[in-house]
C-alpha cells in the first residue's frame, strides 16, 4: 500500500507541489481537522476523480474554536488518519503544527460579511468563521490547488469559503461534497463520538424533521408555519435548538424564488452540538 508523503512545513509542501506542477499534474486539496471518517473518505474520492494528485491537510485549527468550545477535547487520531489515507491512495498529508500556521507575532485575520453574518452559526459562534476563513485562505495560498473539496454538512462554512475565494480571486475551484449519512439519516460527523447511546438514538430526528419540512415547503405550505412546527418537534425530541431556518443557498439570506435554497439546523443534545442542512426541492414558494 502506498504511504502518503507527510509534510509538516510550508516550504516542503510548496516544493512537492512545484514538482507535480512541472510534471503537468493537477492538484486537489481536502482540508480537514483530522478524526477522519467516511465523510472525509467521500471528499477524497471526489478529489481523486477531479485531480491527478490529492493532498489532505490535517490541522485542528485553534482560531475557529471559542474559548468554551471543544478544542482541547477535539478527537485527535493522527495514526489512524494516516492509515485511512494510505488505504485511500492519498499522495500527501500536510500536517503543520500551530507554530507553523500561527508563528509568534501572527496578527492577520480575514474579515467577512455576507454569508458569514446570517444569524445562523455566526450568532452562536461569533469568531468561528474568521478563524475558518483565515486557515482556509492560508491553506489555499500555501498549496495553490486547482480544486479544494469541502463537505456540505458545514453548509454556511461552504458558502463563506466560496464567497471568500471569489472576493479574494483565489485561483482554486471550491467544490461542495454531499453530506454522508448513517442508515438512520444522522449526518456523519467527528463529533458524533460524543453522543451517549440514548442521544445517538434520538439524533436522527433532526434529519427526519428537515426532510418533512423541506417537502412541505416545496409543496407550497406556509414556510413560517412549517418552520415553527418543525422547531417544536425538535425541542420536544429532547434537543435544545439554536436555530432552524430556511435560507438562500449562496447568500444565506432570505430565500428567493427560482434560486437554490436550504434548511439549516443546529441543536444541542446533552453536551453535543449537532448541525445539519438539507436542500429544499425546486417548486418551493419563497
Ligand atoms: O470543516 C472543517 O473541518 C474545518 O472547518 C476546516 C475547513 C478544515 C478548517 O479548519
Amino acid at each position: 500500500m502506498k504511504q502518503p508523503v507527510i509534510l509538516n512545513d510550508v516550504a516542503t509542501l510548496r516544493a512537492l507541489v512545484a514538482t507535480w506542477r512541472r510534471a503537468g499534474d493537477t492538484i486537489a486539496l481536502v482540508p480537514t481537522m483530522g478524526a477522519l471518517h467516511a465523510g472525509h473518505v467521500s471528499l477524497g474520492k471526489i478529489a481523486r476523480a477531479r485531480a491527478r494528485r490529492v493532498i489532505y491537510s490535517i490541522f485542528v485549527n485553534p482560531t475557529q474554536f471559542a474559548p468554551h468550545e471543544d478544542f482541547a477535547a477535539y478527537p485527535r487520531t493522527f495514526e489512524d488518519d494516516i492509515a485511512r489515507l494510505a488505504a485511500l491512495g492519498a499522495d500527501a498529508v500536510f500536517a503543520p503544527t500551530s507554530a507553523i500556521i500561527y508563528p509568534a507575532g501572527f496578527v492577520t485575520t480575514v474579515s467577512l460579511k455576507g454569508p458569514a453574518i446570517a444569524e445562523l452559526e455566526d450568532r452562536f459562534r461569533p469568531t468561528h468563521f474568521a478563524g475558518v476563513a483565515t486557515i482556509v485562505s492560508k491553506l489555499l495560498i500555501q498549496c495553490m490547488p486547482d480544486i479544494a473539496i469541502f463537505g456540505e454538512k458545514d453548509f454556511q462554512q461552504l458558502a463563506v469559503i466560496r464567497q471568500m475565494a471569489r472576493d479574494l480571486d483565489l485561483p482554486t475551484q471550491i467544490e461542495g461534497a454531499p453530506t454522508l449519512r448513517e442508515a438512520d439519516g444522522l449526518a456523519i460527523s467527528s463529533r458524533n463520538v460524543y453522543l451517549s447511546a440514548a442521544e445517538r438514538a434520538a439524533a436522527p430526528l433532526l434529519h427526519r424533521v428537515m426532510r418533512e419540512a423541506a417537502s412541505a415547503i416545496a409543496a407550497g405550505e406556509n414556510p413560517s408555519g412549517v418552520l415553527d412546527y418543525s422547531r417544536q418537534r425538535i425541542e420536544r425530541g429532547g434537543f435544545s435548538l439554536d436555530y432552524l431556518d430556511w435560507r438562500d443557498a449562496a447568500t444565506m439570506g432570505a430565500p428567493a424564488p427560482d434560486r437554490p435554497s436550504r434548511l439549516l439546523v443546529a441543536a444541542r443534545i446533552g453536551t453535543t452540538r449537532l448541525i445539519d442542512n438539507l436542500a429544499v426541492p425546486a417548486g418551493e414558494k419563497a
Side-chain angles (χ1 to χ4, degrees):
M1 191 186 305
K2 186 182 95 176
Q3 289 299 316
V5 184
I6 298 178
L7 310 157
N8 300 116
D9 67 275
V10 179
T12 320
L13 170 69
R14 285 197 167 134
L16 182 62
V17 167
T19 311
W20 289 341
R21 289 275 179 223
R22 279 195 295 277
D25 293 349
T26 51
I27 296 161
L29 175 68
V30 183
T32 81
M33 298 205 300
L36 301 184
H37 50 61
H40 296 110
V41 171
S42 76
L43 304 188
K45 287 190 177 147
I46 294 173
R48 172 60 67 216
R50 303 292 301 275
R52 169 85 180 83
R53 301 288 186 178
V54 178
I55 305 177
Y56 272 78
S57 63
I58 297 183
F59 180 64
V60 186
N61 175 38
T63 63
Q64 68 188 75
F65 291 79
H68 64 279
E69 291 179 345
D70 58 346
F71 174 68
Y74 195 84
R76 287 164 174 81
T77 56
F78 191 72
E79 301 305 319
D80 290 350
D81 291 348
I82 298 300
R84 219 179 238 274
L85 294 180
L88 204 64
D91 295 284
V93 178
F94 179 48
T97 59
S98 245
I100 293 280
I101 295 291
Y102 300 118
F106 185 96
V107 292
T108 302
T109 54
V110 178
S111 157
L112 306 156
K113 287 188 180 150
I117 50 165
E119 292 284 304
L120 296 166
E121 279 303 284
D122 49 295
R123 185 164 140 226
F124 297 88
R125 308 182 72 192
T127 57
H128 175 66
F129 288 125
V132 169
T134 303
I135 183 62
V136 170
S137 57
K138 279 181 69 92
L139 290 169
L140 294 179
I141 291 165
Q142 288 161 349
C143 177
M144 285 292 174
D146 299 284
I147 181 165
I149 323 281
F150 298 86
E152 286 185 348
K153 183 174 154 293
D154 296 288
F155 203 83
Q156 190 181 4
Q157 165 176 285
L158 178 60
V160 168
I161 292 169
R162 282 197 165 119
Q163 178 83 44
M164 176 188 73
R166 210 165 40 241
D167 289 350
L168 299 184
D169 300 314
L170 297 174
T172 297
Q173 187 187 327
I174 305 299
E175 176 125 345
T179 302
L180 232 64
R181 298 186 180 279
E182 305 286 1
D184 57 13
L186 176 66
I188 293 181
S189 159
S190 306
R191 290 188 167 104
N192 290 353
V193 296
Y194 300 150
L195 296 169
S196 70
E199 289 160 0
R200 173 64 190 81
L205 178 73
L206 285 187
H207 180 59
R208 203 159 54 240
V209 169
M210 275 198 306
R211 249 189 10 236
E212 288 166 20
S215 307
I217 293 172
E221 282 185 40
N222 176 275
S224 61
V226 171
L227 290 172
D228 280 348
Y229 173 64
S230 305
R231 289 179 187 122
Q232 285 166 25
R233 282 182 69 194
I234 290 171
E235 298 212 300
R236 277 202 306 269
F239 288 86
S240 164
L241 187 64
D242 281 354
Y243 59 83
L244 168 68
D245 220 330
W246 178 38
R247 297 298 180 89
D248 182 280
T251 65
M252 296 285 110
D258 304 324
R259 284 180 52 85
S261 69
R262 210 90 188 174
L263 289 170
L264 298 104
V265 68
R268 280 166 286 121
I269 185 156
T271 55
T272 309
R273 186 169 184 275
L274 299 176
I275 65 170
D276 203 349
N277 64 85
L278 198 67
V280 174
E284 70 274 23
K285 307 234 181 332

